[in-house]
Amino acid sequence: MVRSSPPSLRVKNARVWGGEPVDIVIRNGRIASVDRVTRNAPSAPSDAEFDAGNLLALPGLVNAHAHVDKSWWGKPWESFGGEPGTQGRIAHERSRRDALSIPSVETSLRVLMQSLRTGTTRMRSHVDVDLGVGIRGIESVREAADRLGGAVEVSIVAFPQDGVIRRPGVLELLERAAAEGVDHIGGLDPALIDRDPVRQLDGLFEIAGRRGCGLDIHLHEPGDLGAFEFDLILDRVERDGLGEGRVNIAHGLALVDVDAPRRRDLLQRMGELGVTMTTVAPVRMRQLPLHELDEAGVRFGFGTDGIRDLWSPYGDADLMGIAWQYARAGGLVRDEDLIRTLQIATRDAAKFVTAESHNLQPGDRADIVLVDAENPMDALVRRVTRSAVIAGGRVVDLDDLQTAPWEAL
């Protein structure tokens, strides 16, 4: 549960990014100041106090690619079923989702609660939009976020999981979602799902241009086919002049398949056009190259993808675990690379949800994760338990979120 927010809160003795202990003063849900600890210094009369006990303080984790509308988290075990492959998973999900109350406010709320317990305070979630559910999932996710009082700030992508062109009426649903205020509309494997990449992308970019929303496109297609679709997307970004950060490519598996010169050219063009990327750090696969992305100026973030859903029983909503997975699988061992990985999981990925700063500085929303770790590198490699979470200036009762029924359910 999220406790009510006091008018002001002083978080005492917190080591921001592993530095010397400071007091973080919070007013009206935002950081008012970060003060050097002075022995026996009196608090302002209105300040409530929370003693961090010299724990390491990090900004709230940011999940840049989730699917909170379609999980069976908190429900009886659901055995994996259906046929393999993308088409098989889509069909199985469609056959079972009603029985599991997918989508629903309760389903999304359980996932958001678990995310908050692990320190996620901002999230971009894809939400299925199709002929079977319409935009009901979007309404459910919004209500779930409202029930948490905004403790997790959620940005929504209207996502056509079942295809765009092959399902007449889906473009109209995406248009409606955009008209009703979603931040992004999505796409999915334009060649392998719709078998008409030009038509899918043209339809999506037309809506984005007309409605002023962004695009967030799942791109699993490998090798030269995937690289070709990168080119198609980048051509349209350049043609339509979509601004910095308005277009994101999720997964982008082709980037690790193509040779180094081809990858360099794609990344350079993405950096110049402001196209971003998100990865779920897939196991048993090569990871997106940290140094090449940074050198090209391509901003990217980590996401959990599905969380215990009909696509996979895995996932626990812990974005720190995804960051660890990326670093471990990518062979990142130097201090600067481990710190960079945590920066991507916190400070830098916030732009996938908000335009504001997210780095425990005055003016930032007061999203603080406290962990018992020597330094940021230690926190990452040990995936330490979150000792305390403060979201929007409110202290989260982690035990209640973990064990007690939510009062609104």
Side-chain angles (χ1 to χ4, degrees), residues 2-3 5-6 9-12 14 24 26 29-31 49-52 57-61 116-117 119-121 151 358 360 365-370 386-398:
V2 182
R3 302 171 187 168
S5 177
L9 175 67
R10 180 178 290 267
V11 180
K12 298 175 66 66
I24 304 172
I26 300 168
R30 293 194 170 269
I31 296 175
E49 290 189 356
F50 182 92
D51 193 346
L58 298 170
L61 296 161
L116 182 59
R117 188 176 72 82
T120 290
T121 59
H358 181 76
L360 302 184
R365 189 177 115 133
D367 293 342
I368 308 170
V369 178
L370 295 167
R386 305 324 99 88
S387 298
V389 176
I390 297 171
R394 293 172 292 169
V395 179
V396 178
D397 188 331
L398 299 182

mmCIF file of all heavy atoms in Angstrom, residues 2-3 5-6 9-12 14 24 26 29-31 49-52 57-61 116-117 119-121 151 358 360 365-370 386-398:
data_model
loop_
_atom_site.group_PDB
_atom_site.id
_atom_site.type_symbol
_atom_site.label_atom_id
_atom_site.label_comp_id
_atom_site.label_asym_id
_atom_site.label_seq_id
_atom_site.Cartn_x
_atom_site.Cartn_y
_atom_site.Cartn_z
ATOM 1 N N VAL A 2 0.407 2.334 -0.578
ATOM 2 C CA VAL A 2 1.140 3.591 -0.597
ATOM 3 C C VAL A 2 0.572 4.485 0.495
ATOM 4 O O VAL A 2 -0.622 4.774 0.509
ATOM 5 C CB VAL A 2 1.023 4.291 -1.962
ATOM 6 C CG1 VAL A 2 1.839 5.566 -1.976
ATOM 7 C CG2 VAL A 2 1.466 3.361 -3.077
ATOM 8 N N ARG A 3 1.400 4.869 1.424
ATOM 9 C CA ARG A 3 0.954 5.731 2.498
ATOM 10 C C ARG A 3 0.638 7.116 1.966
ATOM 11 O O ARG A 3 1.164 7.546 0.949
ATOM 12 C CB ARG A 3 2.029 5.825 3.581
ATOM 13 C CG ARG A 3 2.430 4.482 4.187
ATOM 14 C CD ARG A 3 3.639 4.639 5.090
ATOM 15 N NE ARG A 3 4.127 3.337 5.545
ATOM 16 C CZ ARG A 3 5.286 3.153 6.151
ATOM 17 N NH1 ARG A 3 6.084 4.175 6.375
ATOM 18 N NH2 ARG A 3 5.661 1.950 6.535
ATOM 19 N N SER A 5 0.746 11.030 1.472
ATOM 20 C CA SER A 5 1.940 11.873 1.374
ATOM 21 C C SER A 5 1.872 13.003 2.390
ATOM 22 O O SER A 5 0.904 13.760 2.415
ATOM 23 C CB SER A 5 2.055 12.443 -0.037
ATOM 24 O OG SER A 5 3.146 13.315 -0.136
ATOM 25 N N PRO A 6 2.898 13.140 3.257
ATOM 26 C CA PRO A 6 2.926 14.288 4.161
ATOM 27 C C PRO A 6 3.228 15.551 3.372
ATOM 28 O O PRO A 6 3.759 15.501 2.260
ATOM 29 C CB PRO A 6 4.069 13.946 5.117
ATOM 30 C CG PRO A 6 4.979 13.082 4.317
ATOM 31 C CD PRO A 6 4.088 12.289 3.399
ATOM 32 N N LEU A 9 8.649 15.797 3.690
ATOM 33 C CA LEU A 9 9.312 14.605 4.218
ATOM 34 C C LEU A 9 10.815 14.791 4.074
ATOM 35 O O LEU A 9 11.295 15.196 3.011
ATOM 36 C CB LEU A 9 8.855 13.370 3.442
ATOM 37 C CG LEU A 9 9.535 12.037 3.783
ATOM 38 C CD1 LEU A 9 9.166 11.580 5.195
ATOM 39 C CD2 LEU A 9 9.153 10.957 2.758
ATOM 40 N N ARG A 10 11.543 14.490 5.143
ATOM 41 C CA ARG A 10 13.008 14.526 5.082
ATOM 42 C C ARG A 10 13.507 13.086 5.134
ATOM 43 O O ARG A 10 13.327 12.400 6.138
ATOM 44 C CB ARG A 10 13.589 15.336 6.240
ATOM 45 C CG ARG A 10 15.119 15.408 6.236
ATOM 46 C CD ARG A 10 15.623 16.263 7.382
ATOM 47 N NE ARG A 10 15.298 17.662 7.163
ATOM 48 C CZ ARG A 10 16.103 18.544 6.569
ATOM 49 N NH1 ARG A 10 17.294 18.152 6.112
ATOM 50 N NH2 ARG A 10 15.735 19.800 6.425
ATOM 51 N N VAL A 11 14.117 12.633 4.032
ATOM 52 C CA VAL A 11 14.739 11.315 3.981
ATOM 53 C C VAL A 11 16.181 11.506 4.434
ATOM 54 O O VAL A 11 17.008 12.085 3.712
ATOM 55 C CB VAL A 11 14.665 10.706 2.569
ATOM 56 C CG1 VAL A 11 15.330 9.331 2.547
ATOM 57 C CG2 VAL A 11 13.221 10.610 2.108
ATOM 58 N N LYS A 12 16.491 11.038 5.633
ATOM 59 C CA LYS A 12 17.788 11.311 6.249
ATOM 60 C C LYS A 12 18.808 10.219 5.920
ATOM 61 O O LYS A 12 18.466 9.057 5.789
ATOM 62 C CB LYS A 12 17.623 11.430 7.771
ATOM 63 C CG LYS A 12 16.721 12.572 8.223
ATOM 64 C CD LYS A 12 16.513 12.559 9.725
ATOM 65 C CE LYS A 12 17.793 12.844 10.481
ATOM 66 N NZ LYS A 12 18.273 14.216 10.254
ATOM 67 N N ALA A 14 20.825 9.288 3.315
ATOM 68 C CA ALA A 14 20.754 8.493 2.090
ATOM 69 C C ALA A 14 21.998 8.749 1.250
ATOM 70 O O ALA A 14 22.419 9.901 1.089
ATOM 71 C CB ALA A 14 19.501 8.855 1.292
ATOM 72 N N ILE A 24 17.499 14.195 1.912
ATOM 73 C CA ILE A 24 16.690 14.579 0.751
ATOM 74 C C ILE A 24 15.377 15.140 1.282
ATOM 75 O O ILE A 24 14.586 14.423 1.911
ATOM 76 C CB ILE A 24 16.427 13.374 -0.166
ATOM 77 C CG1 ILE A 24 17.748 12.737 -0.609
ATOM 78 C CG2 ILE A 24 15.594 13.786 -1.373
ATOM 79 C CD1 ILE A 24 17.575 11.417 -1.359
ATOM 80 N N ILE A 26 11.721 16.551 0.715
ATOM 81 C CA ILE A 26 10.645 16.396 -0.271
ATOM 82 C C ILE A 26 9.479 17.286 0.136
ATOM 83 O O ILE A 26 9.040 17.265 1.292
ATOM 84 C CB ILE A 26 10.185 14.926 -0.336
ATOM 85 C CG1 ILE A 26 11.356 14.016 -0.751
ATOM 86 C CG2 ILE A 26 9.012 14.767 -1.290
ATOM 87 C CD1 ILE A 26 11.073 12.542 -0.559
ATOM 88 N N GLY A 29 5.580 16.121 -3.057
ATOM 89 C CA GLY A 29 5.901 15.023 -3.952
ATOM 90 C C GLY A 29 7.145 15.219 -4.788
ATOM 91 O O GLY A 29 7.486 14.340 -5.583
ATOM 92 N N ARG A 30 7.836 16.342 -4.599
ATOM 93 C CA ARG A 30 9.044 16.603 -5.392
ATOM 94 C C ARG A 30 10.218 16.912 -4.476
ATOM 95 O O ARG A 30 10.041 17.341 -3.331
ATOM 96 C CB ARG A 30 8.815 17.762 -6.374
ATOM 97 C CG ARG A 30 7.816 17.392 -7.446
ATOM 98 C CD ARG A 30 7.803 18.347 -8.618
ATOM 99 N NE ARG A 30 6.987 17.774 -9.685
ATOM 100 C CZ ARG A 30 7.451 17.015 -10.653
ATOM 101 N NH1 ARG A 30 8.752 16.766 -10.723
ATOM 102 N NH2 ARG A 30 6.656 16.515 -11.576
ATOM 103 N N ILE A 31 11.411 16.685 -5.006
ATOM 104 C CA ILE A 31 12.610 16.942 -4.222
ATOM 105 C C ILE A 31 12.848 18.443 -4.155
ATOM 106 O O ILE A 31 12.998 19.112 -5.188
ATOM 107 C CB ILE A 31 13.821 16.216 -4.831
ATOM 108 C CG1 ILE A 31 13.602 14.692 -4.751
ATOM 109 C CG2 ILE A 31 15.107 16.609 -4.107
ATOM 110 C CD1 ILE A 31 14.668 13.874 -5.436
ATOM 111 N N GLU A 49 9.950 12.592 9.042
ATOM 112 C CA GLU A 49 11.290 12.056 8.804
ATOM 113 C C GLU A 49 11.239 10.571 8.464
ATOM 114 O O GLU A 49 10.404 9.836 8.984
ATOM 115 C CB GLU A 49 12.192 12.276 10.020
ATOM 116 C CG GLU A 49 12.575 13.712 10.247
ATOM 117 C CD GLU A 49 13.648 13.862 11.319
ATOM 118 O OE1 GLU A 49 14.023 12.834 11.927
ATOM 119 O OE2 GLU A 49 14.108 14.995 11.543
ATOM 120 N N PHE A 50 12.145 10.187 7.580
ATOM 121 C CA PHE A 50 12.351 8.779 7.253
ATOM 122 C C PHE A 50 13.851 8.570 7.230
ATOM 123 O O PHE A 50 14.547 9.160 6.399
ATOM 124 C CB PHE A 50 11.728 8.429 5.899
ATOM 125 C CG PHE A 50 11.863 6.979 5.511
ATOM 126 C CD1 PHE A 50 10.869 6.071 5.830
ATOM 127 C CD2 PHE A 50 12.994 6.525 4.840
ATOM 128 C CE1 PHE A 50 10.993 4.731 5.477
ATOM 129 C CE2 PHE A 50 13.127 5.194 4.490
ATOM 130 C CZ PHE A 50 12.124 4.296 4.814
ATOM 131 N N ASP A 51 14.361 7.757 8.132
ATOM 132 C CA ASP A 51 15.807 7.551 8.230
ATOM 133 C C ASP A 51 16.233 6.426 7.289
ATOM 134 O O ASP A 51 15.855 5.263 7.469
ATOM 135 C CB ASP A 51 16.195 7.209 9.666
ATOM 136 C CG ASP A 51 17.713 7.287 9.880
ATOM 137 O OD1 ASP A 51 18.460 7.341 8.881
ATOM 138 O OD2 ASP A 51 18.134 7.293 11.054
ATOM 139 N N ALA A 52 17.017 6.785 6.266
ATOM 140 C CA ALA A 52 17.495 5.796 5.303
ATOM 141 C C ALA A 52 18.649 4.965 5.852
ATOM 142 O O ALA A 52 19.045 3.967 5.226
ATOM 143 C CB ALA A 52 17.923 6.482 4.006
ATOM 144 N N ALA A 57 20.938 5.124 -2.316
ATOM 145 C CA ALA A 57 19.721 5.666 -2.918
ATOM 146 C C ALA A 57 19.876 5.775 -4.427
ATOM 147 O O ALA A 57 20.851 6.342 -4.919
ATOM 148 C CB ALA A 57 19.400 7.032 -2.325
ATOM 149 N N LEU A 58 18.904 5.227 -5.142
ATOM 150 C CA LEU A 58 18.864 5.308 -6.596
ATOM 151 C C LEU A 58 17.533 5.930 -7.023
ATOM 152 O O LEU A 58 16.545 5.853 -6.289
ATOM 153 C CB LEU A 58 18.967 3.902 -7.221
ATOM 154 C CG LEU A 58 20.242 3.116 -6.943
ATOM 155 C CD1 LEU A 58 20.080 1.672 -7.411
ATOM 156 C CD2 LEU A 58 21.441 3.765 -7.630
ATOM 157 N N PRO A 59 17.478 6.540 -8.217
ATOM 158 C CA PRO A 59 16.180 6.977 -8.726
ATOM 159 C C PRO A 59 15.273 5.762 -8.944
ATOM 160 O O PRO A 59 15.753 4.632 -9.093
ATOM 161 C CB PRO A 59 16.531 7.640 -10.068
ATOM 162 C CG PRO A 59 17.996 7.903 -10.014
ATOM 163 C CD PRO A 59 18.582 6.830 -9.151
ATOM 164 N N GLY A 60 13.970 5.987 -8.951
ATOM 165 C CA GLY A 60 13.040 4.902 -9.243
ATOM 166 C C GLY A 60 13.383 4.212 -10.547
ATOM 167 O O GLY A 60 13.831 4.844 -11.514
ATOM 168 N N LEU A 61 13.202 2.897 -10.583
ATOM 169 C CA LEU A 61 13.447 2.139 -11.808
ATOM 170 C C LEU A 61 12.384 2.478 -12.848
ATOM 171 O O LEU A 61 11.237 2.791 -12.510
ATOM 172 C CB LEU A 61 13.436 0.645 -11.503
ATOM 173 C CG LEU A 61 14.561 0.175 -10.570
ATOM 174 C CD1 LEU A 61 14.226 -1.173 -9.961
ATOM 175 C CD2 LEU A 61 15.884 0.106 -11.314
ATOM 176 N N LEU A 116 5.844 -1.904 -8.419
ATOM 177 C CA LEU A 116 6.157 -0.892 -7.418
ATOM 178 C C LEU A 116 6.958 -1.500 -6.271
ATOM 179 O O LEU A 116 7.905 -0.883 -5.763
ATOM 180 C CB LEU A 116 4.858 -0.278 -6.906
ATOM 181 C CG LEU A 116 4.970 0.840 -5.872
ATOM 182 C CD1 LEU A 116 5.770 2.015 -6.423
ATOM 183 C CD2 LEU A 116 3.576 1.303 -5.449
ATOM 184 N N ARG A 117 6.619 -2.700 -5.859
ATOM 185 C CA ARG A 117 7.325 -3.349 -4.771
ATOM 186 C C ARG A 117 8.805 -3.546 -5.104
ATOM 187 O O ARG A 117 9.667 -3.516 -4.226
ATOM 188 C CB ARG A 117 6.682 -4.702 -4.457
ATOM 189 C CG ARG A 117 7.238 -5.362 -3.206
ATOM 190 C CD ARG A 117 6.507 -6.644 -2.884
ATOM 191 N NE ARG A 117 6.830 -7.707 -3.809
ATOM 192 C CZ ARG A 117 7.923 -8.477 -3.728
ATOM 193 N NH1 ARG A 117 8.805 -8.276 -2.774
ATOM 194 N NH2 ARG A 117 8.146 -9.431 -4.598
ATOM 195 N N GLY A 119 10.505 -1.507 -6.999
ATOM 196 C CA GLY A 119 11.143 -0.215 -7.194
ATOM 197 C C GLY A 119 10.833 0.500 -8.482
ATOM 198 O O GLY A 119 11.380 1.579 -8.728
ATOM 199 N N THR A 120 9.951 -0.046 -9.320
ATOM 200 C CA THR A 120 9.583 0.641 -10.559
ATOM 201 C C THR A 120 8.561 1.725 -10.245
ATOM 202 O O THR A 120 7.502 1.451 -9.664
ATOM 203 C CB THR A 120 9.007 -0.340 -11.586
ATOM 204 O OG1 THR A 120 10.055 -1.184 -12.058
ATOM 205 C CG2 THR A 120 8.409 0.395 -12.778
ATOM 206 N N THR A 121 8.860 2.950 -10.636
ATOM 207 C CA THR A 121 7.951 4.061 -10.402
ATOM 208 C C THR A 121 7.483 4.726 -11.693
ATOM 209 O O THR A 121 6.605 5.585 -11.655
ATOM 210 C CB THR A 121 8.608 5.128 -9.509
ATOM 211 O OG1 THR A 121 9.795 5.616 -10.145
ATOM 212 C CG2 THR A 121 8.954 4.538 -8.142
ATOM 213 N N ALA A 151 1.317 6.401 -8.061
ATOM 214 C CA ALA A 151 2.625 5.973 -7.530
ATOM 215 C C ALA A 151 3.500 5.432 -8.638
ATOM 216 O O ALA A 151 4.722 5.618 -8.635
ATOM 217 C CB ALA A 151 2.430 4.928 -6.438
ATOM 218 N N HIS A 358 14.990 12.925 -13.920
ATOM 219 C CA HIS A 358 14.700 11.794 -13.020
ATOM 220 C C HIS A 358 16.027 11.320 -12.442
ATOM 221 O O HIS A 358 16.548 10.285 -12.815
ATOM 222 C CB HIS A 358 14.022 10.689 -13.839
ATOM 223 C CG HIS A 358 13.639 9.469 -13.056
ATOM 224 N ND1 HIS A 358 12.555 9.424 -12.211
ATOM 225 C CD2 HIS A 358 14.190 8.235 -13.006
ATOM 226 C CE1 HIS A 358 12.450 8.223 -11.671
ATOM 227 N NE2 HIS A 358 13.446 7.485 -12.135
ATOM 228 N N LEU A 360 17.146 12.281 -8.787
ATOM 229 C CA LEU A 360 17.286 12.634 -7.376
ATOM 230 C C LEU A 360 17.921 14.010 -7.209
ATOM 231 O O LEU A 360 18.798 14.211 -6.372
ATOM 232 C CB LEU A 360 18.089 11.572 -6.624
ATOM 233 C CG LEU A 360 17.530 10.144 -6.667
ATOM 234 C CD1 LEU A 360 18.363 9.214 -5.794
ATOM 235 C CD2 LEU A 360 16.066 10.111 -6.242
ATOM 236 N N ARG A 365 10.596 14.610 -9.503
ATOM 237 C CA ARG A 365 9.610 13.865 -8.743
ATOM 238 C C ARG A 365 10.368 12.975 -7.752
ATOM 239 O O ARG A 365 11.396 12.381 -8.097
ATOM 240 C CB ARG A 365 8.761 13.008 -9.685
ATOM 241 C CG ARG A 365 7.556 12.360 -8.999
ATOM 242 C CD ARG A 365 6.716 11.578 -10.001
ATOM 243 N NE ARG A 365 6.744 10.160 -9.690
ATOM 244 C CZ ARG A 365 5.656 9.379 -9.640
ATOM 245 N NH1 ARG A 365 4.463 9.890 -9.874
ATOM 246 N NH2 ARG A 365 5.773 8.113 -9.359
ATOM 247 N N ALA A 366 9.849 12.876 -6.534
ATOM 248 C CA ALA A 366 10.571 12.162 -5.470
ATOM 249 C C ALA A 366 10.324 10.667 -5.563
ATOM 250 O O ALA A 366 9.505 10.096 -4.847
ATOM 251 C CB ALA A 366 10.157 12.692 -4.107
ATOM 252 N N ASP A 367 11.036 10.017 -6.478
ATOM 253 C CA ASP A 367 11.016 8.566 -6.658
ATOM 254 C C ASP A 367 12.378 8.040 -6.222
ATOM 255 O O ASP A 367 13.381 8.258 -6.904
ATOM 256 C CB ASP A 367 10.775 8.196 -8.123
ATOM 257 C CG ASP A 367 9.385 8.576 -8.603
ATOM 258 O OD1 ASP A 367 8.501 8.812 -7.754
ATOM 259 O OD2 ASP A 367 9.178 8.627 -9.831
ATOM 260 N N ILE A 368 12.413 7.345 -5.091
ATOM 261 C CA ILE A 368 13.676 6.931 -4.485
ATOM 262 C C ILE A 368 13.613 5.444 -4.144
ATOM 263 O O ILE A 368 12.652 4.987 -3.532
ATOM 264 C CB ILE A 368 13.962 7.727 -3.191
ATOM 265 C CG1 ILE A 368 13.862 9.233 -3.453
ATOM 266 C CG2 ILE A 368 15.319 7.363 -2.614
ATOM 267 C CD1 ILE A 368 13.886 10.070 -2.181
ATOM 268 N N VAL A 369 14.635 4.711 -4.571
ATOM 269 C CA VAL A 369 14.778 3.303 -4.212
ATOM 270 C C VAL A 369 15.993 3.179 -3.294
ATOM 271 O O VAL A 369 17.092 3.598 -3.657
ATOM 272 C CB VAL A 369 14.951 2.420 -5.467
ATOM 273 C CG1 VAL A 369 15.159 0.962 -5.068
ATOM 274 C CG2 VAL A 369 13.742 2.544 -6.379
ATOM 275 N N LEU A 370 15.774 2.617 -2.111
ATOM 276 C CA LEU A 370 16.846 2.453 -1.125
ATOM 277 C C LEU A 370 17.224 0.987 -1.034
ATOM 278 O O LEU A 370 16.358 0.116 -0.881
ATOM 279 C CB LEU A 370 16.385 2.967 0.237
ATOM 280 C CG LEU A 370 16.100 4.472 0.295
ATOM 281 C CD1 LEU A 370 15.360 4.830 1.574
ATOM 282 C CD2 LEU A 370 17.396 5.276 0.185
ATOM 283 N N ARG A 386 14.993 -4.607 -2.515
ATOM 284 C CA ARG A 386 14.670 -3.219 -2.268
ATOM 285 C C ARG A 386 14.288 -3.055 -0.798
ATOM 286 O O ARG A 386 13.302 -3.637 -0.328
ATOM 287 C CB ARG A 386 13.517 -2.743 -3.130
ATOM 288 C CG ARG A 386 13.589 -2.891 -4.657
ATOM 289 C CD ARG A 386 14.914 -2.706 -5.330
ATOM 290 N NE ARG A 386 15.537 -3.991 -5.610
ATOM 291 C CZ ARG A 386 15.349 -4.725 -6.707
ATOM 292 N NH1 ARG A 386 14.556 -4.300 -7.650
ATOM 293 N NH2 ARG A 386 15.975 -5.884 -6.869
ATOM 294 N N SER A 387 15.040 -2.264 -0.069
ATOM 295 C CA SER A 387 14.781 -2.053 1.356
ATOM 296 C C SER A 387 13.624 -1.085 1.577
ATOM 297 O O SER A 387 12.862 -1.225 2.540
ATOM 298 C CB SER A 387 16.038 -1.514 2.040
ATOM 299 O OG SER A 387 17.099 -2.441 1.949
ATOM 300 N N ALA A 388 13.511 -0.084 0.715
ATOM 301 C CA ALA A 388 12.415 0.879 0.823
ATOM 302 C C ALA A 388 12.217 1.521 -0.543
ATOM 303 O O ALA A 388 13.150 1.646 -1.331
ATOM 304 C CB ALA A 388 12.718 1.942 1.878
ATOM 305 N N VAL A 389 10.968 1.913 -0.799
ATOM 306 C CA VAL A 389 10.621 2.599 -2.042
ATOM 307 C C VAL A 389 9.779 3.815 -1.683
ATOM 308 O O VAL A 389 8.820 3.720 -0.900
ATOM 309 C CB VAL A 389 9.831 1.681 -3.000
ATOM 310 C CG1 VAL A 389 9.388 2.462 -4.243
ATOM 311 C CG2 VAL A 389 10.658 0.462 -3.396
ATOM 312 N N ILE A 390 10.152 4.948 -2.233
ATOM 313 C CA ILE A 390 9.372 6.176 -2.092
ATOM 314 C C ILE A 390 8.938 6.578 -3.497
ATOM 315 O O ILE A 390 9.779 6.707 -4.394
ATOM 316 C CB ILE A 390 10.196 7.293 -1.420
ATOM 317 C CG1 ILE A 390 10.576 6.867 0.004
ATOM 318 C CG2 ILE A 390 9.434 8.610 -1.405
ATOM 319 C CD1 ILE A 390 11.557 7.802 0.679
ATOM 320 N N ALA A 391 7.643 6.726 -3.693
ATOM 321 C CA ALA A 391 7.091 7.007 -5.023
ATOM 322 C C ALA A 391 6.290 8.297 -4.971
ATOM 323 O O ALA A 391 5.300 8.392 -4.241
ATOM 324 C CB ALA A 391 6.201 5.856 -5.482
ATOM 325 N N GLY A 392 6.748 9.285 -5.724
ATOM 326 C CA GLY A 392 6.063 10.566 -5.712
ATOM 327 C C GLY A 392 6.000 11.185 -4.330
ATOM 328 O O GLY A 392 5.024 11.853 -3.981
ATOM 329 N N GLY A 393 7.032 10.956 -3.520
ATOM 330 C CA GLY A 393 7.094 11.512 -2.188
ATOM 331 C C GLY A 393 6.379 10.714 -1.125
ATOM 332 O O GLY A 393 6.373 11.102 0.050
ATOM 333 N N ARG A 394 5.813 9.562 -1.498
ATOM 334 C CA ARG A 394 5.072 8.739 -0.539
ATOM 335 C C ARG A 394 5.818 7.439 -0.279
ATOM 336 O O ARG A 394 6.277 6.777 -1.219
ATOM 337 C CB ARG A 394 3.671 8.436 -1.088
ATOM 338 C CG ARG A 394 2.790 9.684 -1.194
ATOM 339 C CD ARG A 394 1.496 9.398 -1.916
ATOM 340 N NE ARG A 394 1.723 9.095 -3.328
ATOM 341 C CZ ARG A 394 0.792 8.599 -4.135
ATOM 342 N NH1 ARG A 394 -0.408 8.315 -3.658
ATOM 343 N NH2 ARG A 394 1.050 8.377 -5.393
ATOM 344 N N VAL A 395 5.909 7.066 0.960
ATOM 345 C CA VAL A 395 6.597 5.830 1.340
ATOM 346 C C VAL A 395 5.680 4.647 1.061
ATOM 347 O O VAL A 395 4.512 4.634 1.475
ATOM 348 C CB VAL A 395 6.993 5.862 2.827
ATOM 349 C CG1 VAL A 395 7.685 4.567 3.221
ATOM 350 C CG2 VAL A 395 7.889 7.063 3.116
ATOM 351 N N VAL A 396 6.206 3.652 0.349
ATOM 352 C CA VAL A 396 5.439 2.467 -0.020
ATOM 353 C C VAL A 396 5.600 1.407 1.067
ATOM 354 O O VAL A 396 6.725 1.117 1.489
ATOM 355 C CB VAL A 396 5.918 1.906 -1.373
ATOM 356 C CG1 VAL A 396 5.148 0.637 -1.736
ATOM 357 C CG2 VAL A 396 5.766 2.961 -2.461
ATOM 358 N N ASP A 397 4.482 0.847 1.515
ATOM 359 C CA ASP A 397 4.522 -0.248 2.484
ATOM 360 C C ASP A 397 4.780 -1.541 1.716
ATOM 361 O O ASP A 397 3.868 -2.158 1.171
ATOM 362 C CB ASP A 397 3.205 -0.324 3.251
ATOM 363 C CG ASP A 397 3.252 -1.307 4.412
ATOM 364 O OD1 ASP A 397 4.017 -2.293 4.313
ATOM 365 O OD2 ASP A 397 2.534 -1.110 5.399
ATOM 366 N N LEU A 398 6.046 -1.945 1.640
ATOM 367 C CA LEU A 398 6.420 -3.082 0.800
ATOM 368 C C LEU A 398 5.814 -4.382 1.319
ATOM 369 O O LEU A 398 5.431 -5.248 0.530
ATOM 370 C CB LEU A 398 7.945 -3.208 0.732
ATOM 371 C CG LEU A 398 8.683 -2.004 0.138
ATOM 372 C CD1 LEU A 398 10.177 -2.283 0.084
ATOM 373 C CD2 LEU A 398 8.162 -1.688 -1.260
#
